[in-house]
Amino acid sequence: MTSGNQAPAVTKAATGEGETVTYDGNEYSIIREGLADILVPASLRQKDGGKASDEQQVFYNPIQQFNRDLSVLAIRAYGEDALANRKLNVAEKRLEKEKKKRRRAEGDDGNDRPAKVQAEPQTQEKQGSVEEGEDEDETKTESTMRPRFTILDALSATGLRALRYSHELPFVTSVTANDLTKSATESIQLNAKHNKLGDKIQVSHDDAIAHMYRRIADDLSQRDARGRPGKKNKYDVIDLDPYGTAAPFLDAAVQAVRNDGGLLCITCTDGSHWAGHSYVEKSFSLYGASPIKGMHSHEVGLRIILHTVANIAARYGLAVEPLLSLSIDFYCRIFVRVRHNPQAVSFLGGKTMLLYQCAGCSAWETQPLVRTRLHPKKKEGYFFKHGLAQGPTVDAKCRHCGSTMHVGGPLYGGPIHDQGFVRRMLDLLPTLDSKVYGTIPRMEGMLTTALEEHLPGPEGEEEEGAEGTEGPEGAEESGQVGLRVRAGVDPREAEMARVDHAPFFFMPSRLSGVLNCQAMPENLFRGALKHLGYRVTRSHCRAGSVKTDAPWETIWFVMREWVRQKAPVKTEKIKPNTPAYALLGLGQTGDDAKAKANASTGTGTSTGASKAEEGEEGEKDQPASDEELRKTLVFDDALARLGKDKAKGNKRLVRYQDTPAQSIISMPSNQDPAIRQAGELHLQDGKLNYTTIDDHKEQSSLPEEIVFVLKSTSPPLTGHSERFLVAYLREDSEAPGQPYTLHLIQTDHVPNSLLDSHLISGLPNHLSPEHAIHIIVSTKAGTGLALACWETVVRPLLKLLFSSIPTGLGDENGDGERYHVLTTRSAQSIKQFAKSLCSRRQSATTTHPETIILLSGDGGVIDLLNGREDTDNNGNDDGDHKSPSTNDPLPTIALLPLGTGNALFHSLHKPLYDSSAARTTAVPSPLVLGLRTLFRGRPAPLPSFDVSFSPGSQLVSYDDADAPSPHRHDSQVSRLTGAIVASYGFHAQLVWESDTPDYRRHGDKRFGMVAADLLRESHAYNARVHIHPASSSSLFPSSPSPLSPSSPSHEIRITNHQDDDDDDTTAADGPPGKFSYVLAAMVSNLERTFTVSPASRPLHPALHLVYFGPVGGERTMEIMKAAYDGGKHVALPDVGYEEVSALRVTVLEADARWRKVCIDGTVVEMPHGGQMTVSRMERSLFGVLVDSSLLG
């Protein structure tokens, strides 16, 4: 460690594990999480696979990244709201002071007030400031100083939380990183210095409890004139993240945090205590409560910890408000707000409950420890009266199955989440950078599930709540919490008294196990409860969970009906004295026993058809009675549709994640898919059917899923002469962690139709040993599936191909060093590769053919085109880009479409789409088409165009548009190369504005939002546009023709002008025009279904111009819809469409906002009067693989 102001000696080096640094001769490996870097001794990372030794108490736990990401988000949501409220309170207070001063000046309150009060107005104002929790200095200099916001990381270890809070929360003024061990504090100091946060992070080497009590004592010794303790030493946020229980720290923490709404963040990793049943005595000694044994034990554990915190805080007149309480993997994470509110504390007994749990059927009931109910006032209104709770709400035996009832608790009985707080966190998610916060999908899924957990109390509830839970009656909703209170009840008191009427979940699969019947599908179970008039949701704790306001009697009725209608059981195998025997009514007499017996044997008939289909929205002319609804309960498709979760539409959320390590990033497995041995492959009813030999299961595939067929080197198992290997691909882009499933089967028989179209008998030329093969995995392309596609699909297929077909290279057992893989790390990775490729080819005396397998979208192709060295620097200004020799083979691009629009790919494969539509056959997915082209396609020159710009043109982008505070980056540009489109007007503006931070945070929705805003503005773009007809071969500035689409009839006039002094045609500076849309396309489609240029053909080097004038937003939308209808927009009278050899756009807009042009997704800002010139290139820079049918 360095001392004083001496700068440490720092060196950096790249290693196999990442970057390393050296401080004072000690080497450290750098681990980055969020925006923070932590240093781990390199020697430790080399031991035991990077795991710290027993002596080392300072270590990094990557599994907890979700915890830390969530904590940053929670503190941000809390802090922004708290500071805004604090500022508002200060303003209101200042306004009140000004009113008092005016009254004094007017003589309204001087003579009638006590002299002491008049003599000490400043003292009282100062005391009022302290009472509000504001520092005196902060109040005085509020207009010039940042508001004070402090955090205590009480058990800091390496200081990673403190580093992240300091880096990622801009409103934080100070973070105290405390730890008991000396090695930890030294590590914190080193990490703070490395991250340049020494001025914000205060390192404390102390016992966490002693540290907090010491600050409490300082405040207690600094009381004001009224005897109230000081508050200057309190923290805004205290984070307790121990390895084990947080119980010993809670008493100090609730006192050391601000008591006007401070935030307490608590982690407990001792789940075996609060969520298990093997250490009941330990749970009681730590938390003062007993856990239970059951499927909802983790939800019980959350309420145990909340009870402990609330009970400790209540001793000091502090009330806790749970903001977010989550059970995550092996630990819990709880966020509570602490306020000094003795009135709210008085309601704690009514919000504390005991839990009675059946050991047989898992039914549960609750009982409050204090009876809190509404009582009428003498005049008008009601107040809450607290009294002794009545005796047990249950018997010693379960009333449903007769098993023993166990008791657990005490537990916190109020809501465990604050809906407003959770919504604020969800609203902040789109603003986060996925590169910084690697667990955004999991955070979104868990927070959404937590938000949906809330079930409002029943309408018209009596003084005694359902199942022993008490609450106020009435029918009015109070605010967003959905609390129904009687008129005349103080809403603040009603909120204090609010309890959770559905505190626990259950598992339908567990209930099916109790009855020994087939498990009921979740949607059917949910639909049945909804059909009976109850509300249903799920718990974040466990997949397959159900939370409902239905009583257990109704739940077991649904299960019995399921047995009766769909899953009958053999009653003779159910033994007496078991829960199933009692629940099904076996051995009983009377009407109830008859009904239960019918349920168990499946006898009896349904008394009516299901009303789920006719009443899925729950709207009926008159509410049906419970008996009528039970008679119409039928388990059918309509009931399943009723139970389907429609909250998020088709969006797939990562609600539950079993493997903690996967919460950081969904990395596909490197293990190759197994080759399954199968019987003969037969085509029947549009499906390929086969039976696997090892387990004799019938399987099927679709012809459009087939990638290729190879001749296997294994001998046939039947009388056939050959054996084949078939590869087919199943896709589910929304499946978390596994978007692709590659299936490999070996069979003796493949239908001839498949052999004709998919058999590969030898290596294609572009994959032969003579070619250098490069794999580019664009990790940020499209939806970010390129890496998963490479690892689970492309790499195994290449390995299989190279090992199955002899090459003579001696590596038939694997892919060896056949290719080089580039996984992109930044937006410049592909351009840098292209520059290296160009430099290498120019310096080589002989060039070998090269193949680039590009897992990307259109952006990857454009980066390759523009990544070569700028030839303008070498004096070449003719728009053509030289290669060493015109006879050298072009590098060939094999494009696998993993972008968003994939315009180039869809345009190259449009004939295949059209032919499939003509044959009414299913079209393979774009990825399967791309793989087929990779393994069976042929190369052809890729047409491209050159774009030059006037001086002063700027390439505009954002360094990282997804970052919390992205910065715009401008750079000079004079020339670009494109292969798709060059545009000005609506299209270019849509591309640019959808990538700005204001819209980027809205994800995929941003394109529709930008389009709607632009159509609403309907800006008419001021420009001159000149063109060269397709028959012209000259380049600008020789003889352009002006376009003027501003005539009243929207007629497009093209006029040629002659220069008297020159035989060549020259440009006439005609009047500027008004345009809505100017787009030159070298492709037919911008999306698979958006045909912008129907006359464009694959591989044909022609530019087609599409343009129209200021027709208004509504008409523009009609034109766009026609483009989606097979490109019919080009036949509309107000749309111009023709082939050109070149065009020039002169931008005449005064506002820089409207001076954006777009080249294949790259945006350039033009100066006023600047020109963009687009010319088709006579020679291609790259080749591209296409389907062989396109080449004849």
Side-chain angles (χ1 to χ4, degrees):
M1 299 295 297
T2 59
S3 59
N5 297 322
Q6 183 180 357
V10 182
T11 61
K12 296 185 178 182
T15 68
E17 296 180 347
E19 193 178 41
T20 64
V21 297
T22 301
Y23 279 84
D24 292 343
N26 298 318
E27 186 178 6
Y28 299 89
S29 297
I30 298 178
I31 298 177
R32 164 154 286 209
E33 182 180 293
L35 295 179
D37 291 338
I38 66 168
L39 306 180
V40 176
S43 59
L44 293 179
R45 292 181 59 85
Q46 296 170 3
K47 295 180 182 179
D48 303 324
K51 187 175 180 180
S53 60
D54 294 338
E55 296 80 9
Q56 176 67 31
Q57 300 181 34
V58 182
F59 60 96
Y60 169 71
N61 187 356
I63 293 177
Q64 288 276 25
Q65 182 181 354
F66 177 72
N67 186 332
R68 291 183 285 267
D69 284 355
L70 186 73
S71 300
V72 172
L73 181 63
I75 296 175
R76 179 181 169 189
Y78 161 80
E80 291 177 353
D81 184 65
L83 290 174
N85 291 335
R86 207 175 296 171
K87 185 176 181 181
L88 181 62
N89 291 338
V90 171
E92 291 176 349
K93 190 174 186 179
R94 183 183 296 110
L95 182 61
E96 183 63 26
K97 289 179 181 179
E98 292 174 355
K99 290 181 179 179
K100 289 182 179 180
K101 289 181 180 179
R102 285 197 298 268
R103 287 198 298 268
R104 293 192 189 102
E106 294 170 0
D108 293 339
D109 58 351
N111 298 327
D112 296 333
R113 290 179 176 266
K116 181 178 179 180
V117 176
Q118 296 183 45
E120 299 179 359
Q122 295 181 352
T123 302
Q124 290 192 17
E125 290 173 7
K126 180 178 178 180
Q127 291 172 357
S129 177
V130 175
E131 184 175 358
E132 292 297 323
E134 300 291 342
D135 290 340
E136 180 181 356
D137 295 339
E138 179 183 330
T139 304
K140 288 182 178 180
T141 61
E142 181 224 349
S143 61
T144 59
M145 293 181 60
R146 292 176 57 191
R148 175 176 172 268
F149 194 97
T150 59
I151 300 177
L152 170 63
D153 185 9
L155 305 152
S156 196
T158 58
L160 179 54
R161 286 179 184 270
L163 294 170
R164 293 197 59 181
Y165 295 159
S166 301
H167 266 305
E168 300 167 29
L169 299 173
F171 52 81
V172 171
T173 57
S174 174
V175 179
T176 300
N178 177 82
D179 204 277
L180 180 60
T181 62
K182 183 178 180 181
S183 60
T185 55
E186 291 176 348
S187 176
I188 296 170
Q189 290 174 342
L190 181 62
N191 285 321
K193 182 179 297 184
H194 178 75
N195 286 267
K196 300 180 181 179
L197 293 171
D199 58 335
K200 184 176 286 189
I201 295 179
Q202 310 298 321
V203 182
S204 170
H205 180 203
D206 200 355
D207 182 280
I209 299 174
H211 175 85
M212 290 185 283
Y213 277 137
R214 194 174 292 114
R215 294 176 71 93
I216 296 168
D218 290 342
D219 282 338
L220 289 173
S221 63
Q222 299 176 5
R223 296 178 180 268
D224 61 15
R226 298 183 182 181
R228 296 173 301 188
K231 299 183 179 181
K232 291 185 178 180
N233 290 295
K234 292 187 179 295
Y235 290 101
D236 293 86
V237 178
I238 294 181
D239 193 332
L240 301 175
D241 183 42
Y243 287 89
T245 179
F249 308 96
L250 296 178
D251 184 84
V254 297
Q255 298 180 76
V257 75
R258 288 180 66 134
N259 62 4
D260 59 347
L263 181 66
L264 193 57
C265 313
I266 304 168
T267 299
C268 291
T269 61
D270 58 330
S272 59
H273 298 153
W274 44 263
H277 61 278
S278 299
Y279 302 97
V280 178
E281 75 288 355
K282 190 66 173 177
S283 174
F284 193 85
S285 65
L286 289 173
Y287 302 103
S290 299
I292 58 98
K293 179 182 180 181
M295 45 196 167
H296 52 284
S297 62
H298 282 75
E299 199 164 21
V300 171
L302 290 174
R303 295 185 179 275
I304 286 177
I305 299 170
L306 285 172
H307 158 72
T308 305
V309 179
N311 192 44
I312 292 173
R315 304 169 189 169
Y316 308 102
L318 301 173
V320 299
E321 304 169 17
L323 300 180
L324 181 64
S325 309
L326 299 176
S327 173
I328 309 167
D329 302 327
F330 56 90
Y331 62 93
C332 73
R333 185 64 166 166
I334 294 174
F335 302 88
V336 298
R337 184 160 46 206
V338 181
R339 294 185 188 275
H340 185 263
N341 193 340
Q343 185 184 13
V345 172
S346 66
F347 286 87
L348 181 59
K351 298 169 72 171
T352 303
M353 62 185 181
L354 294 177
L355 172 65
Y356 297 99
Q357 171 85 26
C358 175
C361 69
S362 297
W364 49 262
E365 296 190 31
T366 61
Q367 175 187 341
L369 293 183
V370 174
R371 186 180 186 182
T372 300
R373 60 176 180 173
L374 285 172
H375 195 77
K377 296 179 179 179
K378 291 183 178 180
K379 294 183 179 181
E380 295 181 354
Y382 296 85
F383 71 97
F384 285 95
K385 185 176 182 179
H386 310 287
L388 298 176
Q390 297 180 356
T393 57
V394 298
D395 294 328
K397 299 293 183 180
C398 176
R399 60 191 173 108
H400 302 290
C401 71
S403 301
T404 302
M405 298 293 289
H406 292 163
V407 63
L411 312 173
Y412 181 78
I416 63 175
H417 312 298
D418 181 276
Q419 284 192 295
F421 181 76
V422 177
R423 285 195 184 98
R424 286 198 298 274
M425 292 182 67
L426 285 169
D427 290 342
L428 289 174
L429 276 179
T431 69
L432 301 183
D433 183 1
S434 59
K435 298 177 182 177
V436 178
Y437 301 88
T439 63
I440 289 178
R442 193 182 186 193
M443 284 196 290
E444 181 183 15
M446 185 164 282
L447 289 174
T448 302
T449 307
L451 184 66
E452 296 169 355
E453 282 185 9
H454 173 69
L455 289 176
E459 291 198 29
E461 62 189 21
E462 302 297 331
E463 292 178 355
E464 296 288 335
E467 302 179 58
T469 305
E470 298 183 358
E473 61 181 342
E476 286 190 6
E477 285 199 8
S478 175
Q480 66 179 12
V481 296
L483 179 66
R484 293 164 173 82
V485 297
R486 180 181 295 171
V489 177
D490 187 340
R492 291 175 299 179
E493 291 190 353
E495 176 65 20
M496 295 174 192
R498 187 160 65 107
V499 296
D500 193 338
H501 294 272
F504 305 114
F505 67 88
F506 60 87
M507 306 290 295
S509 58
R510 173 71 173 86
L511 305 186
S512 299
V514 172
L515 297 182
N516 299 310
C517 70
Q518 178 184 350
M520 188 190 314
E522 183 180 347
N523 284 342
L524 278 178
F525 196 96
R526 295 163 61 92
L529 293 176
K530 289 182 178 180
H531 173 85
L532 296 174
Y534 297 97
R535 287 166 291 195
V536 185
T537 183
R538 57 168 60 86
S539 170
H540 75 276
C541 295
R542 195 167 178 178
S545 59
V546 170
K547 296 190 77 169
T548 179
D549 56 358
W552 276 99
E553 180 184 1
T554 299
I555 294 170
W556 284 120
F557 164 77
V558 171
M559 292 302 303
R560 285 192 291 269
E561 276 297 293
W562 168 251
V563 171
R564 183 179 73 83
Q565 296 184 30
K566 296 292 185 179
V569 298
K570 296 181 179 179
T571 57
E572 62 275 11
K573 293 189 176 182
I574 299 178
K575 298 180 180 180
N577 300 324
T578 62
Y581 194 85
L583 290 168
L584 295 175
L586 305 180
Q588 299 181 8
T589 59
D591 294 339
D592 291 341
K594 181 178 179 180
K596 290 182 178 181
N598 287 341
S600 65
T601 58
T603 60
T605 58
S606 176
T607 57
S610 172
K611 292 186 179 181
E613 188 166 6
E614 63 184 67
E616 284 191 11
E617 302 299 326
E619 297 180 359
K620 301 181 176 66
D621 295 337
Q622 292 184 357
S625 66
D626 185 68
E627 183 179 357
E628 291 174 341
L629 291 173
R630 288 191 175 197
K631 290 180 179 179
T632 58
L633 178 62
V634 177
F635 294 91
D636 55 12
D637 292 340
L639 195 69
R641 288 196 298 272
L642 179 64
K644 187 176 181 181
D645 184 13
K646 301 177 182 178
K648 288 292 178 181
N650 296 325
K651 185 173 183 180
R652 297 286 295 272
L653 296 173
V654 186
R655 296 181 182 271
Y656 310 98
Q657 202 154 5
D658 294 331
T659 306
Q662 292 178 351
S663 67
I664 299 176
I665 183 171
S666 297
M667 290 291 293
S669 172
N670 284 329
Q671 184 176 0
D672 294 332
I675 299 177
R676 303 289 301 276
Q677 303 298 323
E680 296 185 350
L681 192 63
H682 295 284
L683 184 61
Q684 184 179 5
D685 298 329
K687 292 185 177 180
L688 295 168
N689 302 310
Y690 63 93
T691 301
T692 53
I693 295 177
D694 53 350
D695 55 9
H696 303 286
K697 288 185 177 181
E698 295 184 356
Q699 307 285 348
S700 65
S701 173
L702 298 174
E704 58 267 24
E705 296 175 335
I706 302 296
V707 177
F708 61 57
V709 179
L710 295 175
K711 290 184 178 181
S712 174
T713 57
S714 302
L717 302 180
T718 61
H720 295 276
S721 59
E722 293 181 303
R723 190 160 178 79
F724 301 93
L725 195 150
V726 181
Y728 68 91
L729 180 65
R730 292 273 169 85
E731 299 176 60
D732 185 1
S733 60
E734 295 182 349
Q738 194 175 6
Y740 308 108
T741 304
L742 180 64
H743 295 266
L744 304 175
I745 60 172
Q746 276 192 336
T747 177
D748 286 355
H749 174 75
V750 176
N752 289 331
S753 59
L754 292 184
L755 293 177
D756 293 339
S757 56
H758 301 300
L759 179 64
I760 299 177
S761 57
L763 279 178
N765 184 57
H766 55 273
L767 296 178
S768 65
E770 292 77 20
H771 281 66
I773 302 174
H774 308 277
I775 317 290
I776 299 180
V777 183
S778 182
T779 55
K780 295 300 181 181
T783 55
L785 297 178
L787 186 58
C789 181
W790 162 246
E791 292 286 357
T792 61
V793 180
V794 183
R795 188 190 60 80
L797 288 176
L798 287 175
K799 184 175 182 179
L800 180 66
L801 183 70
F802 292 147
S803 62
S804 300
I805 300 178
T807 63
L809 296 181
D811 63 342
E812 279 69 44
N813 294 326
D815 51 8
E817 299 292 330
R818 293 295 313 280
Y819 49 75
H820 170 263
V821 181
L822 169 65
T823 302
T824 61
R825 302 298 182 187
S826 69
Q828 302 300 317
S829 296
I830 298 180
K831 288 185 179 180
Q832 292 170 358
F833 165 81
K835 288 182 179 180
S836 174
L837 176 68
C838 180
S839 175
R840 185 172 62 251
R841 292 172 64 87
Q842 288 177 345
S843 60
T845 55
T846 59
T847 57
H848 296 282
E850 300 186 72
T851 300
I852 304 168
I853 302 177
L854 182 61
L855 286 76
S856 180
D858 298 321
V861 178
I862 306 313
D863 285 345
L864 286 174
L865 290 172
N866 290 285
R868 72 231 181 282
E869 295 293 341
D870 191 349
T871 54
D872 286 348
N873 294 333
N874 297 325
N876 181 16
D877 59 356
D878 62 0
D880 201 357
H881 302 281
K882 305 297 183 182
S883 60
S885 170
T886 56
N887 296 323
D888 289 339
L890 294 174
T892 299
I893 301 173
L895 183 58
L896 297 180
L898 291 163
T900 303
N902 300 305
L904 179 60
F905 180 88
H906 292 311
S907 298
L908 292 174
H909 290 79
K910 189 174 186 297
L912 301 183
Y913 297 148
D914 295 341
S915 63
S916 296
R919 297 193 307 266
T920 66
T921 57
V923 181
S925 72
L927 180 55
V928 171
L929 272 180
L931 291 170
R932 290 180 180 179
T933 302
L934 170 62
F935 296 114
R936 292 174 54 87
R938 293 163 55 190
L942 174 65
S944 54
F945 54 82
D946 179 80
V947 187
S948 60
F949 303 95
S950 300
S953 301
Q954 299 280 339
L955 193 68
V956 291
S957 61
Y958 283 89
D959 288 335
D960 193 340
D962 294 327
S965 300
H967 298 285
R968 174 169 155 169
H969 178 69
D970 294 359
S971 59
Q972 294 286 338
V973 63
S974 61
R975 170 168 277 118
L976 289 174
T977 302
I980 303 172
V981 295
S983 67
Y984 176 60
F986 180 84
H987 176 266
Q989 205 69 26
L990 175 63
V991 173
W992 163 244
E993 297 200 6
S994 63
D995 206 46
T996 57
D998 289 342
Y999 287 98
R1000 187 80 185 181
R1001 60 191 180 91
H1002 296 288
D1004 292 339
K1005 297 179 182 178
R1006 68 186 188 273
F1007 299 103
M1009 296 171 62
V1010 174
D1013 292 343
L1014 292 176
L1015 291 173
R1016 193 160 41 246
E1017 290 188 69
S1018 297
H1019 182 74
Y1021 296 82
N1022 191 6
R1024 288 191 180 96
V1025 179
H1026 299 79
I1027 67 168
H1028 279 288
S1031 59
S1032 173
S1033 60
S1034 60
L1035 298 175
F1036 284 115
S1038 303
S1039 55
S1041 304
L1043 276 69
S1044 300
S1046 56
S1047 60
S1049 63
H1050 299 291
E1051 178 182 358
I1052 305 301
R1053 301 193 309 271
I1054 301 176
T1055 305
N1056 289 322
H1057 297 264
Q1058 298 291 333
D1059 189 343
D1060 296 337
D1061 299 330
D1062 198 328
D1063 293 335
D1064 294 334
T1065 57
T1066 59
D1069 292 331
K1074 296 287 187 179
F1075 295 84
S1076 286
Y1077 197 91
V1078 178
L1079 184 143
M1082 197 162 264
V1083 297
S1084 59
N1085 287 55
L1086 297 186
E1087 301 170 14
R1088 182 168 178 174
T1089 57
F1090 188 89
T1091 306
V1092 68
S1093 176
S1096 296
R1097 302 191 306 275
L1099 306 178
H1100 185 62
L1103 278 172
H1104 286 81
L1105 182 64
V1106 183
Y1107 54 92
F1108 53 86
V1111 295
E1114 184 175 351
R1115 181 57 176 166
T1116 300
M1117 178 58 71
E1118 293 174 358
I1119 294 172
M1120 295 298 103
K1121 289 181 178 179
Y1124 277 103
D1125 189 14
K1128 295 181 180 179
H1129 63 297
V1130 299
L1132 298 176
D1134 43 3
V1135 177
Y1137 180 57
E1138 61 185 299
E1139 183 179 350
V1140 299
S1141 63
L1143 75 150
R1144 183 177 64 197
V1145 178
T1146 305
V1147 179
L1148 302 175
E1149 286 284 344
D1151 188 349
R1153 177 189 176 189
W1154 308 112
R1155 298 203 300 263
K1156 306 295 191 300
V1157 298
C1158 174
I1159 312 300
D1160 292 359
T1162 299
V1163 178
V1164 175
E1165 185 177 291
M1166 308 291 296
H1168 177 69
Q1171 295 181 341
M1172 172 184 72
T1173 304
V1174 183
S1175 305
R1176 65 190 181 195
M1177 297 178 64
E1178 300 300 327
R1179 187 170 51 82
S1180 298
L1181 302 177
F1182 286 86
V1184 63
L1185 283 182
V1186 297
D1187 189 87
S1188 300
S1189 61
L1190 297 181
L1191 302 178

